[in-house]
Amino acid sequence: LTAPRRNPTLWIGSYSGALLSQTINIPPGEHRTKIPCQIGAGGSPAFLKSPIINISALDNEGNPVSPPAAVWHDDTRKKKGKVKRKERDVLMNESDLQSNDYLVVAAEKSILILKLPSQNSYARQKVFDNTYYLKSQVLTLEGWGICMACVSIMGYLSFYTLPQLKPLVNLPWFDPKDSRSQRTKPSTSNSH
């Protein structure tokens, strides 16, 4: 008996708060040049009632899942034995395909953790009525580990544990009168 094959999934978050999943069916290696990829609905849509601002994936231990290092390459496109940089092989661990992962979905008014592949709700954190989140990011912070950082319109920076979403700290970050400029400031996964 073999474990079912898990397929890549594209997660789409909308401004209206809809969360959709699209499963991508990729044919086995030897058939990729003959059979096209197929995309289909990956489950029931979820609705968070406010715009989705961030979607992140965590592995079964709560660590951020990094994207594959590279994409599959087409042997028919090789020229003089060289492979283009963006056409290298994907390196995937078979255990990664069997694990139960988490999906972290941050919307302006709530944060939702889904258990994958079942897509059942694992944890939820709602925002107070008089505020909403401008930005959110999954970060690794020294001393706290992996957490979710959220900047609210009221000028507070909130941190939550992952995947449980327990509040860690809520700090004043900026003057609420300056919230318009906070929307345009870039943020990275390197805590900058």
Side-chain angles (χ1 to χ4, degrees):
L1 191 69
T2 60
R5 183 174 170 229
R6 288 185 48 196
N7 294 318
T9 304
L10 172 66
W11 291 92
I12 304 166
S14 75
Y15 189 77
S16 64
L19 177 66
L20 307 169
S21 64
Q22 299 290 308
T23 302
I24 304 167
N25 294 315
I26 301 172
E30 64 274 2
H31 299 292
R32 288 184 182 169
T33 57
K34 299 173 188 164
I35 301 172
C37 292
Q38 297 177 346
I39 298 177
S44 301
F47 298 96
L48 279 80
K49 300 180 184 175
S50 64
I52 294 175
I53 56 176
N54 189 355
I55 300 174
S56 301
L58 304 176
D59 65 14
N60 61 346
E61 295 176 1
N63 299 313
V65 174
S66 58
V71 296
W72 168 81
H73 71 275
D74 183 355
D75 292 330
T76 62
R77 295 183 65 198
K78 285 185 183 180
K79 294 179 182 177
K80 297 181 183 178
K82 294 182 181 178
V83 178
K84 292 182 182 179
R85 180 178 176 183
K86 62 181 179 179
E87 293 182 349
R88 291 175 288 174
D89 290 325
V90 173
L91 302 175
M92 295 188 78
N93 186 347
E94 186 64 30
S95 65
D96 291 343
L97 300 175
Q98 306 300 326
S99 65
N100 291 317
D101 300 332
Y102 300 95
L103 189 72
V104 181
V105 183
E108 286 184 351
K109 296 297 260 173
S110 65
I111 304 169
L112 174 67
I113 307 289
L114 296 175
K115 184 83 167 155
L116 299 177
S118 66
Q119 297 184 18
N120 292 330
S121 178
Y122 180 77
R124 183 182 287 258
Q125 183 68 255
K126 292 190 177 186
V127 182
F128 299 112
D129 291 333
N130 61 348
T131 189
Y132 61 90
Y133 292 133
L134 293 171
K135 291 187 176 196
S136 68
Q137 186 81 34
V138 173
L139 303 171
T140 303
L141 297 177
E142 192 172 323
W144 287 352
I146 305 208
C147 61
M148 180 72 145
C150 300
V151 177
S152 77
I153 191 77
M154 299 303 285
Y156 284 88
L157 179 61
S158 304
F159 292 93
Y160 301 95
T161 63
L162 287 176
Q164 297 84 7
L165 284 181
K166 293 179 183 175
L168 286 171
V169 70
N170 194 22
L171 305 166
W173 186 251
F174 64 89
D175 184 0
K177 296 174 191 169
D178 192 30
S179 66
R180 177 169 248 161
S181 69
Q182 294 298 319
R183 289 181 188 266
T184 61
K185 286 186 178 176
S187 62
T188 68
S189 59
N190 298 329
S191 306
H192 295 101

